[in-house]
Amino acid sequence: CLWTLAAILKETLKDALVPRAGVLKKLLAPLDAVLEGFYNAILLHHFDSHHYTSPYSEASNNLVSFIDLLEALLASRIELELPLRCQRILFLKASYVLNVISSSIPYVIKKKFILLLKKCVLYKSREDARSGSLFLGATSLCEDMLALSNAVLQVVNLTWLNQVPLSGKSNSFGSSEAAPGHDSQGGCDQTVLRALSLVVLKALEFKIHNSATEAEIK
């Protein structure tokens, strides 16, 4: 079901001949509450269980399908003037994703979540993309980006980065040591390192631009 819905969303976004906004609203509006329920149930799951030890297990495949759906929902957001809750959930409840990234699920799934967060911090509405503005015009997007930034900065201020792996081996963001049997240069996934750094920097940038007081900025 997750795969089918993601596939329909992707095909709708590719089709230049259909009124995309109308089709997407008709498809997603009845599923809005259901998809938020999925998000809560799936991402609040205990990922330390044996079902997730292999990236090829059924549980892991289901999680990958859900990430694909979240990515399609994010991409479809640009078509609607007022985004649905299911298109905003990734921003509003980013802490769920951040918790999954620091859990013991397979590295390949963590990487997909990190790259999805990168797409979130780089997301712009159609108007902002067209104008080339560095600041977000859409009120809902501004609220969502602030919620995402707050969630990211909250965990980064703790020890979250030290728990995030930078490869399938044991080395992590906060570690200066190479994993056993690997040199310090070759053991690090540069794509994940760049994506994580960008997520933190964009969260910091957005928070500073939208902070009311100097004390809050500090």
Side-chain angles (χ1 to χ4, degrees):
C1 289
L2 294 173
W3 183 91
T4 303
L5 185 54
I8 292 170
L9 282 172
K10 288 172 186 175
E11 287 305 312
T12 304
L13 292 172
K14 284 182 196 171
D15 195 340
L17 300 176
V18 299
R20 288 190 289 249
V23 171
L24 289 168
K25 203 160 188 179
K26 195 173 181 182
L27 174 67
L28 294 174
L31 294 172
D32 207 20
V34 176
L35 290 172
E36 182 172 2
F38 269 9
Y39 187 92
N40 295 342
I42 291 172
L43 298 188
L44 277 179
H45 193 68
H46 293 294
F47 292 101
D48 299 326
S49 76
H50 66 279
H51 297 296
Y52 295 94
T53 50
S54 166
Y56 307 107
S57 68
E58 185 182 359
S60 294
N61 280 331
N62 288 341
L63 197 51
V64 168
S65 292
F66 190 59
I67 296 170
D68 290 341
L69 176 58
L70 290 174
E71 197 170 336
L73 286 169
L74 177 65
S76 71
R77 176 178 177 145
I78 201 167
E79 300 295 336
L80 298 183
E81 198 171 323
L82 290 172
L84 296 165
R85 178 83 178 178
C86 64
Q87 294 170 309
R88 301 178 64 193
I89 196 74
L90 201 50
F91 295 85
L92 298 176
K93 294 187 176 179
S95 60
Y96 291 26
V97 170
L98 295 167
N99 288 338
V100 174
I101 290 170
S102 61
S103 74
S104 61
I105 57 167
Y107 175 73
V108 65
I109 300 177
K110 294 186 183 196
K111 182 172 180 176
K112 284 181 77 73
F113 270 123
I114 290 166
L115 294 177
L116 183 58
L117 282 179
K118 175 188 165 186
K119 287 185 177 181
C120 287
V121 297
L122 293 176
Y123 180 84
K124 287 193 171 206
S125 69
R126 183 173 286 158
E127 291 71 25
D128 292 327
R130 196 181 292 137
S131 68
S133 171
L134 293 174
F135 305 100
L136 303 175
T139 306
S140 64
L141 183 55
C142 202
E143 287 172 9
D144 293 357
M145 207 64 86
L146 193 56
L148 175 64
S149 299
N150 284 336
V152 169
L153 294 175
Q154 193 173 359
V155 294
V156 167
N157 207 29
L158 302 172
T159 58
W160 183 79
L161 282 175
N162 295 338
Q163 299 162 22
V164 180
L166 290 179
S167 75
K169 309 301 175 187
S170 60
N171 50 335
S172 61
F173 194 96
S175 168
S176 58
E177 296 177 13
H182 289 75
D183 62 85
S184 57
Q185 296 300 314
C188 175
D189 187 331
Q190 297 295 319
T191 304
V192 170
L193 178 60
R194 284 195 298 270
L196 266 177
S197 301
L198 185 65
V199 167
V200 175
L201 286 170
K202 293 298 279 185
L204 198 57
E205 177 190 38
F206 192 79
K207 180 68 177 172
I208 288 171
H209 282 310
N210 291 275
S211 292
T213 64
E214 193 176 334
E216 201 177 2
I217 292 171
K218 283 181 180 178

